[in-house]
Amino acid sequence: MKWVLVLLAGSALAQEPPAGDAQRGHAAFLKYQCYTCHGTLGQGGERGTGPKLAPNPFPWAGFEFQVRTPRQDMPAYRKQHLSDQELADIYAYVRSVKASPSASAIPLLKID
Amino acid sequence: MSDRRTFLKGAAATIAASTVTAQAQAATGEKKPAPKSSGAGLDKTIERPGSDFMVDVLRSLGIEYVASNPASSFRSLHESIVNYGGNRKPEFITCMHEESSVGMAHGYYKASGKVMAMMAHGSVGIQHAAMAVYNAWCDRVPVMLIGGNFLDAAQRRPGVEWGHCSQNPAALLRDYIKWDDQPASLQHFAESTVRAYKMAMTPPMEPVMIVADGMLQEHPIEDEKGLSIPKLVLSAPPQGETGAVREAAKILSSHEKVVIVCERVARNQEGVKRMVELAEALNAPVVDLLGRMNFPTTHYLCRSGDGRALVRDADVILFLEVGDPWGQLNTISDPHHQYRRIAKPDVKTIHVTLADQLMKSNYQDMQRFCPVDIPISADAQATLPSLTEAIRQISKPRSGKTEALKKAYQQMQARAREAAAHGWDASPVTVARLSSELWQVLKNENWCLAESRGGSWASRLWPATQHHNFLGSSGGAGVGYIAPAAVGAALANKDKGIITAVIQPDGDLMYAPGVLWTAAHHRIPLLSVMHNNRAYHQEVMHLQKMAGLHNRRMDTARIGTTIEDPNIDYAKLAQAQGVWAEGPITDPAQIGPALRRALAVVKKGQPALVDVVTQGRSA
């Protein structure tokens, strides 16, 4: 439900993301511990610790809304501790992550 | 020289004691006989100490192993095990921490269904053992704890022996063991040990403790013909009351949206079979919380991955030995502690559990009180046949739902595999990749994953049909369980042709890594694969939550929560203790070959460890 709300907010306020640097964003993603719940590639975690962020993250407005005023368990990253530019860089990094192969293309995941 | 020194010391002590006695008699005017030591004299030996009889008692119970650090308070029993008993059934398993001894016994029971004994040295050994005993208590696992103690203060040697004795050794554990005794005679020991074993094995199963007095161990048996060991006959577990079972069957049969949530139900493969019969009689999905392996992951009714959604939509929920039913129906957010209902407000609930029959006050493992519509105080596995039969008498399975249920199962499986593919080639390695690589080396074996929990990648991805495939987790979530429990499980499995593996978290191993030496020393074939995220990762996330809550910086969350700088080389740690090991591996492509080499070692009867540097707790 929380992600539905976030996505709705994102859709309603659809806008272009601010300019960000993916390389700096990767460093910030690690520095600010985003990876602890979402994985270093934003792939998400098991048992609901953090949803998948990449590839194809949800729109910027929703992303920003969730980071600044998160619903439920995610800690809030407010501006005095994570600047707008750092957040834009993180978003650029998440957008830069390439898709992993699908399960059907991975022999080890063809489990009978 | 040593013997002479001991002789002189003993002689001096005897003279001193005689002098003190004479002075005391002079002071009181009484003439009493000089006190005699009832133990061995300087020129005497004891042919048949009480501890030999204690070994007979343990043997009568079929106890195969006694795991322990060696210690003086049970030195006589130790000696009787190795010399009188020939170190066979029971065999002394050398441990390096009492927590490891209990953890091994915990895992051993879950793999074998049999009780292992452990010995703990007086006050200090019991304190070391305590956390692991609590895990066993929470997990409803029987362990035979034997505490060493010298009750008679007049017989204690000065110094350390006093510090290691206590008036009431089991007091420390009494909040989380089922029963204990400190026998005053050998016959008392026999009767109480058999009683303790019987109580431990009667559901709800729990640890028990017998304190073996040091002098009772060391003194000679005075009247062997007067001693007897009671016959052990285990109690049948209690079934649900017939009327309540019928009422439950009526409710289950009269609603469409029924969900079965189970946790610690199956004690053996028969329990798994009975669970399948129940689920098929209702054609209802099963959410296995995996306290035990209760339900085959290959069955179309196994919907553990959809648990939250199924509970939310259910009209009736059947709980089977679930530790926290309230937590299935409700939630409290973290860190804001906001309450939220998950289930429908009018959902009907039934719970078959023995929790009400054994609950203590201090430790809060009973979880939040959860009123249910039909509580049945009974053993779940023993109640399954009558409940299933009552359902069959009322209605036929709703076979019309089968295709939809099969489709939902397949969709759940497909979602799990797609989720596992995310970050497939990442370094650090994802746990999904690690689990998939491990499955490749186990899939053609008769396998056992020594620690497994609901929601884990293994439970989501691996086809598991046998009760011994998944052994559940610690029960009390006391860190340090996984490594010793895995060694204990591997000990139980080693003669059964079952390959035992464990996905071993780094923080857990470091509580008592000496258990690797125990595995090497006793040739216990365990395949350990490190889930080495170089942190107490859950705690990193807790620090983040608190920083967010307090509106403070987040980049400090690794202070005090990580295990790096320096990184621990787990392969070297294992090698130093005689365990074959490779790593650290950071390239996921290297995992498969390393695991195959490790499996070859394990198949030769030796432990092996592969260190893989992984993503955080969950990714």
Side-chain angles (χ1 to χ4, degrees):
Chain A
M1 177 58 86
K2 65 179 177 179
W3 294 111
V4 172
L5 291 170
V6 169
L7 289 170
L8 286 173
S11 302
L13 303 169
Q15 61 185 63
E16 279 299 304
D21 181 278
Q23 196 170 355
R24 283 202 314 262
H26 180 235
F29 194 80
L30 299 180
K31 176 184 176 184
Y32 292 108
Q33 319 288 324
C34 308
Y35 76 95
T36 60
C37 298
H38 299 286
T40 57
L41 297 176
Q43 73 270 23
E46 69 177 343
R47 289 182 273 154
T49 48
K52 180 172 80 71
L53 303 178
N56 306 317
F58 43 81
W60 162 251
F63 189 89
E64 182 188 32
F65 179 82
Q66 174 65 16
V67 172
R68 298 299 190 200
T69 53
R71 292 181 173 272
Q72 299 202 353
D73 289 1
M74 180 172 162
Y77 285 74
R78 297 184 179 86
K79 290 190 180 188
Q80 61 264 50
H81 304 304
L82 179 74
S83 70
D84 284 338
Q85 186 57 56
E86 286 172 316
L87 183 55
D89 291 341
I90 287 172
Y91 191 68
Y93 166 64
V94 172
R95 288 219 302 180
S96 75
V97 173
K98 292 187 172 54
S100 296
S102 72
S104 59
I106 299 173
L108 265 57
L109 289 175
K110 289 176 181 162
I111 299 168
D112 297 323
Chain B
M1 179 63 83
S2 172
D3 287 347
R4 177 176 166 76
R5 197 180 294 134
T6 305
F7 169 80
L8 291 173
K9 194 175 169 186
T14 306
I15 292 164
S18 304
T19 305
V20 169
T21 306
Q23 288 170 344
Q25 287 169 353
T28 60
E30 295 177 17
K31 183 148 187 169
K32 292 182 181 174
K36 289 181 185 172
S37 169
S38 53
L42 295 173
D43 57 349
K44 287 198 293 186
T45 59
I46 295 174
E47 297 292 326
R48 178 87 163 128
S51 51
D52 284 3
F53 178 71
M54 292 177 180
V55 171
D56 293 337
V57 174
L58 296 178
R59 277 190 162 167
S60 79
L61 299 171
I63 290 174
E64 294 181 319
Y65 299 103
V66 178
S68 189
N69 292 59
S72 59
S73 61
F74 50 79
R75 59 189 181 178
S76 186
L77 183 51
H78 184 166
E79 193 274 339
S80 289
I81 288 171
V82 298
N83 282 330
Y84 169 67
N87 205 27
R88 290 275 301 154
K89 297 185 177 181
E91 176 184 352
F92 192 97
I93 302 293
T94 315
C95 293
M96 308 196 113
H97 197 299
E98 285 81 357
E99 194 170 294
S100 303
S101 305
V102 180
M104 280 187 67
H106 190 159
Y108 175 86
Y109 168 77
K110 287 166 86 171
S112 68
K114 294 192 283 193
V115 174
M116 183 190 283
M118 68 79 61
M119 295 193 289
H121 174 50
S123 55
V124 289
I126 293 168
Q127 289 173 60
H128 272 309
M131 191 287 292
V133 178
Y134 184 63
N135 271 340
W137 164 265
C138 295
D139 201 22
R140 305 290 185 254
V141 165
V143 177
M144 175 65 78
L145 308 158
I146 300 173
N149 193 43
F150 284 93
L151 192 59
D152 183 352
Q155 301 282 350
R156 290 178 199 155
R157 296 171 295 165
V160 173
E161 198 155 274
W162 276 78
H164 290 181
C165 288
S166 48
Q167 290 181 337
N168 192 344
L172 181 71
L173 308 179
R174 203 161 282 142
D175 277 324
Y176 41 94
I177 57 176
K178 195 173 189 179
W179 191 73
D180 68 270
D181 199 6
Q182 186 166 215
S185 70
L186 290 174
Q187 186 58 36
H188 188 176
F189 179 90
E191 292 174 17
S192 285
T193 304
V194 175
R195 185 200 297 271
Y197 185 99
K198 183 182 177 194
M199 290 182 71
M201 287 293 283
T202 300
M205 298 182 191
E206 295 292 5
V208 291
M209 184 171 202
I210 293 294
V211 178
D213 179 64
M215 298 317 294
L216 201 59
Q217 296 174 50
E218 295 181 17
H219 281 186
I221 299 172
E222 290 180 354
D223 179 18
E224 180 114 31
K225 288 181 182 170
L227 293 177
S228 63
I229 302 172
K231 179 179 163 187
L232 172 71
V233 181
L234 295 179
S235 299
Q239 288 188 32
E241 189 273 326
T242 307
V245 168
R246 280 195 196 130
E247 186 62 22
K250 273 186 206 166
I251 290 177
L252 290 164
S253 302
S254 60
H255 288 79
E256 278 293 316
K257 291 183 176 176
V258 174
V259 179
I260 302 167
V261 182
C262 54
E263 189 166 13
R264 292 186 180 87
V265 178
R267 284 188 287 277
N268 45 39
Q269 193 63 24
E270 175 69 12
V272 177
K273 179 175 163 244
R274 296 292 187 185
M275 278 296 302
V276 171
E277 289 171 355
L278 172 71
E280 290 180 347
L282 289 165
N283 214 12
V286 175
V287 177
D288 189 351
L289 302 177
L290 220 57
R292 304 288 186 271
M293 163 75 194
N294 299 301
F295 201 77
T297 62
T298 53
H299 197 289
Y300 73 95
L301 290 173
C302 182
R303 297 282 299 286
S304 306
D306 292 333
R308 185 56 65 96
L310 289 166
V311 165
R312 189 184 60 220
D313 295 338
D315 294 322
V316 180
I317 302 173
L318 171 61
F319 293 116
L320 296 172
E321 203 57 75
V322 172
D324 181 18
W326 191 93
Q328 294 295 313
L329 304 175
N330 310 277
T331 188
I332 290 182
S333 71
D334 185 23
H336 297 292
H337 301 275
Q338 291 174 321
Y339 167 80
R340 188 162 62 89
R341 177 77 174 178
I342 298 166
K344 292 176 182 174
D346 58 348
V347 66
K348 294 269 189 298
T349 52
I350 302 159
H351 197 181
V352 183
T353 176
L354 282 168
D356 289 345
Q357 296 196 15
L358 186 64
M359 194 179 294
K360 299 195 183 183
S361 305
N362 190 18
Y363 292 89
Q364 299 286 298
D365 62 297
M366 74 289 286
Q367 303 289 335
R368 191 160 178 174
F369 180 68
C370 182
V372 297
D373 296 293
I374 303 183
I376 300 176
S377 191
D379 179 71
Q381 178 168 329
T383 305
L384 288 176
S386 59
L387 179 58
T388 304
E389 187 53 34
I391 291 164
R392 285 174 177 159
Q393 286 177 2
I394 294 170
S395 64
K396 290 184 177 176
R398 299 184 187 94
S399 52
K401 296 195 302 181
T402 302
E403 284 311 308
L405 286 163
K406 284 184 176 174
K407 187 176 175 188
Y409 169 78
Q410 287 159 0
Q411 288 172 336
M412 180 191 73
Q413 295 286 85
R415 281 197 303 276
R417 288 168 195 183
E418 282 305 327
H422 297 314
W424 185 253
D425 293 318
S427 178
V429 178
T430 69
V431 184
R433 175 74 183 262
L434 179 70
S435 302
S436 302
E437 296 282 356
L438 180 56
W439 174 247
Q440 289 305 303
V441 299
L442 293 179
K443 67 181 183 181
N444 295 321
E445 309 292 337
N446 188 3
W447 59 274
C448 167
L449 189 67
E451 198 267 352
S452 46
R453 51 187 99 174
S456 63
W457 283 111
S459 71
R460 293 172 73 186
L461 297 173
W462 296 9
T465 59
Q466 302 300 304
H467 183 258
H468 63 254
N469 286 158
F470 291 139
L471 298 187
S473 55
S474 64
V479 181
Y481 161 83
I482 298 173
V487 175
L491 178 63
N493 287 335
K494 75 174 187 176
D495 294 328
K496 294 193 281 190
I498 297 172
I499 299 292
T500 308
V502 65
I503 296 175
Q504 175 63 58
D506 50 344
D508 179 278
L509 178 60
M510 290 308 291
Y511 268 77
V515 76
L516 293 175
W517 177 87
T518 298
H521 179 71
H522 290 282
R523 316 292 189 264
I524 298 173
L526 170 66
L527 174 54
S528 299
V529 188
M530 294 301 300
H531 173 3
N532 177 12
N533 58 26
R534 293 175 173 165
Y536 298 105
H537 203 83
Q538 180 170 279
E539 311 313 319
V540 179
M541 294 190 284
H542 277 307
L543 260 286
Q544 285 178 270
K545 281 184 180 175
M546 289 302 101
L549 185 65
H550 303 155
N551 191 19
R552 293 175 185 156
R553 57 190 289 197
M554 211 75 74
D555 57 332
T556 51
R558 298 183 71 78
I559 297 174
T561 56
T562 58
I563 312 173
E564 54 192 12
D565 188 22
N567 295 326
I568 295 172
D569 188 329
Y570 291 98
K572 284 185 179 168
L573 178 74
Q575 288 160 357
Q577 298 178 80
V579 174
W580 183 98
E582 283 191 14
I585 293 173
T586 54
D587 176 1
Q590 301 302 314
I591 299 171
L595 288 179
R596 286 190 285 278
R597 289 189 288 274
L599 180 65
V601 173
V602 170
K603 284 190 158 184
K604 288 177 186 167
Q606 304 284 342
L609 180 146
V610 176
D611 180 16
V612 180
V613 179
T614 56
Q615 296 268 325
R617 170 171 174 251
S618 316

Short mmCIF file of all heavy atoms in Angstrom, two decimals, chain B residues 218-248:
data_model
loop_
_atom_site.label_atom_id
_atom_site.label_comp_id
_atom_site.label_asym_id
_atom_site.label_seq_id
_atom_site.Cartn_x
_atom_site.Cartn_y
_atom_site.Cartn_z
N GLU B 218 32.22 -39.31 42.76
CA GLU B 218 33.55 -39.83 43.07
C GLU B 218 33.55 -40.95 44.11
O GLU B 218 34.46 -41.77 44.13
CB GLU B 218 34.46 -38.68 43.53
CG GLU B 218 34.70 -37.66 42.42
CD GLU B 218 35.62 -36.53 42.85
OE1 GLU B 218 36.32 -36.69 43.87
OE2 GLU B 218 35.66 -35.49 42.16
N HIS B 219 32.57 -40.94 44.98
CA HIS B 219 32.52 -41.97 46.03
C HIS B 219 32.18 -43.33 45.46
O HIS B 219 31.55 -43.45 44.42
CB HIS B 219 31.46 -41.59 47.08
CG HIS B 219 31.95 -40.56 48.04
ND1 HIS B 219 31.22 -40.15 49.13
CD2 HIS B 219 33.10 -39.85 48.09
CE1 HIS B 219 31.89 -39.24 49.80
NE2 HIS B 219 33.04 -39.04 49.18
N PRO B 220 32.58 -44.37 46.18
CA PRO B 220 32.24 -45.71 45.70
C PRO B 220 30.74 -45.98 45.82
O PRO B 220 30.06 -45.42 46.67
CB PRO B 220 33.03 -46.63 46.63
CG PRO B 220 33.37 -45.81 47.83
CD PRO B 220 33.40 -44.39 47.41
N ILE B 221 30.27 -46.84 44.96
CA ILE B 221 28.89 -47.31 45.07
C ILE B 221 28.83 -48.21 46.31
O ILE B 221 29.59 -49.16 46.43
CB ILE B 221 28.48 -48.10 43.82
CG1 ILE B 221 28.56 -47.21 42.58
CG2 ILE B 221 27.08 -48.69 43.98
CD1 ILE B 221 28.36 -47.94 41.26
N GLU B 222 27.94 -47.89 47.24
CA GLU B 222 27.92 -48.63 48.50
C GLU B 222 27.06 -49.88 48.44
O GLU B 222 27.37 -50.90 49.04
CB GLU B 222 27.46 -47.70 49.63
CG GLU B 222 28.50 -46.63 49.95
CD GLU B 222 28.06 -45.70 51.06
OE1 GLU B 222 26.92 -45.82 51.52
OE2 GLU B 222 28.89 -44.85 51.46
N ASP B 223 25.96 -49.79 47.73
CA ASP B 223 25.03 -50.92 47.72
C ASP B 223 24.53 -51.13 46.30
O ASP B 223 23.43 -50.74 45.93
CB ASP B 223 23.85 -50.61 48.66
CG ASP B 223 22.82 -51.74 48.66
OD1 ASP B 223 23.17 -52.86 48.22
OD2 ASP B 223 21.67 -51.48 49.06
N GLU B 224 25.39 -51.73 45.51
CA GLU B 224 25.07 -51.90 44.08
C GLU B 224 23.78 -52.68 43.87
O GLU B 224 22.97 -52.36 43.00
CB GLU B 224 26.23 -52.61 43.37
CG GLU B 224 26.00 -52.82 41.90
CD GLU B 224 26.96 -52.02 41.03
OE1 GLU B 224 28.10 -51.81 41.47
OE2 GLU B 224 26.56 -51.60 39.93
N LYS B 225 23.58 -53.71 44.70
CA LYS B 225 22.37 -54.54 44.53
C LYS B 225 21.10 -53.76 44.84
O LYS B 225 20.02 -54.11 44.36
CB LYS B 225 22.46 -55.77 45.41
CG LYS B 225 23.48 -56.78 44.91
CD LYS B 225 23.52 -58.00 45.78
CE LYS B 225 24.60 -58.96 45.28
NZ LYS B 225 24.83 -60.05 46.23
N GLY B 226 21.26 -52.72 45.63
CA GLY B 226 20.08 -51.92 45.98
C GLY B 226 19.72 -50.88 44.93
O GLY B 226 18.72 -50.18 45.07
N LEU B 227 20.56 -50.77 43.91
CA LEU B 227 20.31 -49.75 42.88
C LEU B 227 19.53 -50.33 41.71
O LEU B 227 19.74 -51.48 41.31
CB LEU B 227 21.64 -49.20 42.35
CG LEU B 227 22.49 -48.38 43.33
CD1 LEU B 227 23.81 -47.99 42.65
CD2 LEU B 227 21.74 -47.15 43.80
N SER B 228 18.67 -49.53 41.17
CA SER B 228 17.96 -49.95 39.96
C SER B 228 17.69 -48.72 39.10
O SER B 228 17.56 -47.60 39.62
CB SER B 228 16.64 -50.63 40.31
OG SER B 228 15.78 -49.72 40.98
N ILE B 229 17.64 -48.95 37.81
CA ILE B 229 17.34 -47.85 36.88
C ILE B 229 15.92 -48.03 36.39
O ILE B 229 15.58 -49.06 35.81
CB ILE B 229 18.32 -47.86 35.68
CG1 ILE B 229 19.76 -47.75 36.19
CG2 ILE B 229 17.98 -46.74 34.71
CD1 ILE B 229 20.81 -47.95 35.11
N PRO B 230 15.07 -47.04 36.63
CA PRO B 230 13.67 -47.18 36.21
C PRO B 230 13.56 -47.34 34.69
O PRO B 230 14.36 -46.78 33.93
CB PRO B 230 13.01 -45.89 36.66
CG PRO B 230 13.93 -45.31 37.67
CD PRO B 230 15.30 -45.76 37.31
N LYS B 231 12.55 -48.07 34.29
CA LYS B 231 12.29 -48.26 32.87
C LYS B 231 11.74 -46.95 32.28
O LYS B 231 10.90 -46.29 32.91
CB LYS B 231 11.25 -49.37 32.74
CG LYS B 231 10.82 -49.71 31.35
CD LYS B 231 9.81 -50.86 31.45
CE LYS B 231 9.02 -51.01 30.19
NZ LYS B 231 7.95 -52.01 30.37
N LEU B 232 12.22 -46.62 31.10
CA LEU B 232 11.73 -45.41 30.44
C LEU B 232 10.59 -45.76 29.50
O LEU B 232 10.75 -46.58 28.60
CB LEU B 232 12.86 -44.75 29.63
CG LEU B 232 12.42 -43.59 28.75
CD1 LEU B 232 12.05 -42.38 29.59
CD2 LEU B 232 13.49 -43.23 27.73
N VAL B 233 9.46 -45.17 29.70
CA VAL B 233 8.34 -45.27 28.76
C VAL B 233 7.85 -43.84 28.54
O VAL B 233 7.42 -43.18 29.49
CB VAL B 233 7.20 -46.15 29.30
CG1 VAL B 233 6.09 -46.24 28.26
CG2 VAL B 233 7.71 -47.54 29.66
N LEU B 234 7.93 -43.37 27.31
CA LEU B 234 7.56 -41.99 27.04
C LEU B 234 6.04 -41.83 27.01
O LEU B 234 5.32 -42.74 26.60
CB LEU B 234 8.15 -41.54 25.70
CG LEU B 234 9.68 -41.48 25.64
CD1 LEU B 234 10.13 -41.05 24.25
CD2 LEU B 234 10.23 -40.54 26.70
N SER B 235 5.59 -40.67 27.44
CA SER B 235 4.16 -40.38 27.45
C SER B 235 3.67 -40.10 26.03
O SER B 235 4.37 -39.47 25.24
CB SER B 235 3.87 -39.15 28.30
OG SER B 235 4.28 -39.36 29.62
N ALA B 236 2.46 -40.56 25.75
CA ALA B 236 1.84 -40.21 24.47
C ALA B 236 1.47 -38.73 24.51
O ALA B 236 0.99 -38.24 25.53
CB ALA B 236 0.60 -41.06 24.25
N PRO B 237 1.70 -38.02 23.42
CA PRO B 237 1.36 -36.58 23.42
C PRO B 237 -0.15 -36.38 23.45
O PRO B 237 -0.90 -37.20 22.91
CB PRO B 237 1.98 -36.07 22.12
CG PRO B 237 2.14 -37.27 21.27
CD PRO B 237 2.32 -38.44 22.16
N PRO B 238 -0.62 -35.30 24.05
CA PRO B 238 -2.07 -35.08 24.19
C PRO B 238 -2.73 -34.64 22.88
O PRO B 238 -2.25 -33.74 22.20
CB PRO B 238 -2.15 -33.96 25.24
CG PRO B 238 -0.87 -33.23 25.11
CD PRO B 238 0.16 -34.23 24.69
N GLN B 239 -3.85 -35.31 22.55
CA GLN B 239 -4.65 -34.91 21.38
C GLN B 239 -5.71 -33.91 21.80
O GLN B 239 -6.11 -33.85 22.96
CB GLN B 239 -5.35 -36.13 20.80
CG GLN B 239 -4.43 -37.10 20.09
CD GLN B 239 -5.22 -38.17 19.37
OE1 GLN B 239 -6.31 -37.94 18.89
NE2 GLN B 239 -4.65 -39.37 19.32
N GLY B 240 -6.19 -33.18 20.82
CA GLY B 240 -7.24 -32.20 21.08
C GLY B 240 -8.53 -32.86 21.53
O GLY B 240 -8.88 -33.97 21.08
N GLU B 241 -9.25 -32.19 22.40
CA GLU B 241 -10.53 -32.71 22.92
C GLU B 241 -11.50 -32.85 21.75
O GLU B 241 -11.60 -31.98 20.87
CB GLU B 241 -11.04 -31.73 23.98
CG GLU B 241 -12.22 -32.20 24.77
CD GLU B 241 -13.53 -31.86 24.09
OE1 GLU B 241 -13.62 -30.81 23.43
OE2 GLU B 241 -14.46 -32.68 24.22
N THR B 242 -12.24 -33.96 21.76
CA THR B 242 -13.05 -34.33 20.60
C THR B 242 -14.06 -33.25 20.22
O THR B 242 -14.20 -32.91 19.04
CB THR B 242 -13.80 -35.65 20.90
OG1 THR B 242 -12.83 -36.61 21.32
CG2 THR B 242 -14.51 -36.16 19.67
N GLY B 243 -14.76 -32.71 21.19
CA GLY B 243 -15.77 -31.70 20.89
C GLY B 243 -15.18 -30.45 20.27
O GLY B 243 -15.72 -29.89 19.30
N ALA B 244 -14.05 -30.02 20.80
CA ALA B 244 -13.40 -28.82 20.26
C ALA B 244 -12.89 -29.07 18.85
O ALA B 244 -12.97 -28.19 17.98
CB ALA B 244 -12.24 -28.41 21.18
N VAL B 245 -12.38 -30.27 18.62
CA VAL B 245 -11.88 -30.61 17.28
C VAL B 245 -13.04 -30.61 16.28
O VAL B 245 -12.92 -30.09 15.16
CB VAL B 245 -11.17 -31.99 17.31
CG1 VAL B 245 -10.90 -32.50 15.90
CG2 VAL B 245 -9.85 -31.87 18.10
N ARG B 246 -14.18 -31.16 16.66
CA ARG B 246 -15.36 -31.16 15.77
C ARG B 246 -15.82 -29.73 15.48
O ARG B 246 -16.18 -29.41 14.35
CB ARG B 246 -16.50 -31.95 16.43
CG ARG B 246 -16.35 -33.45 16.27
CD ARG B 246 -17.67 -34.14 16.59
NE ARG B 246 -17.42 -35.55 16.82
CZ ARG B 246 -17.85 -36.24 17.87
NH1 ARG B 246 -18.58 -35.67 18.80
NH2 ARG B 246 -17.60 -37.53 17.98
N GLU B 247 -15.83 -28.91 16.49
CA GLU B 247 -16.25 -27.52 16.31
C GLU B 247 -15.29 -26.80 15.35
O GLU B 247 -15.72 -26.04 14.47
CB GLU B 247 -16.28 -26.81 17.67
CG GLU B 247 -16.83 -25.41 17.65
CD GLU B 247 -18.28 -25.31 17.20
OE1 GLU B 247 -19.00 -26.33 17.31
OE2 GLU B 247 -18.68 -24.24 16.70
N ALA B 248 -14.01 -27.05 15.52
CA ALA B 248 -13.02 -26.46 14.61
C ALA B 248 -13.26 -26.95 13.18
O ALA B 248 -13.22 -26.16 12.22
CB ALA B 248 -11.61 -26.84 15.07
#
